[in-house]
Amino acid sequence: AAEAAAAAALASGQVVLKATGNAKATVLAAPKKEDYTVQIPAGITSLDLDVIKLTAQFVARNGKSFLTGLTSREHTNPQFNFLKPTHSMFTFFTSLADAYSKVLMPPKGVVAALRKDEDKSALLERALQRLGGGGAPGGGGGGG
């Protein structure tokens, strides 16, 4: 019965942590999608990564008009080819710019949720969910 419950929990995106010592088994829900994490593409040079990150930060801070001006000004500069929608790094660049924008201008409710994290036990619970969610849907992460 316990194995069937564990299998059902895993299928629903939950992670079951086995009991050790006097602690009881815990069922954790799958963590939420990571809004602020962007996977760094394999094979990118450190210079290209730095240029893309810095450009994404400026775009997040200064908006679409800055991006439009930069794109037109640097259209012949190969170092800024990632600004072209057909470039392989364009998706990475736009994901970074979106993540930086969310940090600078958080969606409604995020600041209140962060203030609510003054309850350290709830914060620890979510950290354990993230850690245990490596194999669960929406889990994993890294980079960014």
Side-chain angles (χ1 to χ4, degrees):
E3 291 174 9
L10 186 60
S12 68
Q14 295 178 332
V15 176
V16 179
L17 299 179
K18 292 186 178 181
T20 57
N22 293 335
K24 63 180 181 174
T26 306
V27 176
L28 301 175
K32 296 178 192 173
K33 178 185 170 290
E34 296 177 0
D35 290 329
Y36 304 99
T37 302
V38 178
Q39 295 289 339
I40 298 173
I44 189 170
T45 66
S46 60
L47 177 63
D48 287 342
L49 180 61
D50 288 345
V51 170
I52 291 172
K53 281 183 172 182
L54 192 58
T55 306
Q57 290 172 19
F58 272 86
V59 168
R61 177 73 176 100
N62 299 311
K64 299 285 184 193
S65 59
F66 173 80
L67 176 60
T68 304
L70 181 67
T71 302
S72 64
R73 189 170 59 247
E74 300 294 342
H75 74 281
T76 58
N77 187 344
Q79 200 166 29
F80 287 90
N81 279 346
F82 64 87
L83 295 175
K84 298 175 181 172
T86 55
H87 194 273
S88 62
M89 294 293 163
F90 180 77
T91 304
F92 172 62
F93 164 72
T94 54
S95 298
L96 265 181
D98 291 344
Y100 288 140
S101 294
K102 288 178 186 175
V103 170
L104 293 172
M105 297 166 282
K108 291 184 179 197
V110 170
V111 175
L114 290 172
R115 286 198 178 104
K116 192 172 77 173
D117 279 344
E118 291 175 7
D119 174 14
K120 302 300 182 214
S121 62
L123 182 62
L124 180 60
E125 177 84 13
R126 282 206 333 273
L128 287 172
Q129 287 177 345
R130 177 71 62 199
L131 179 67

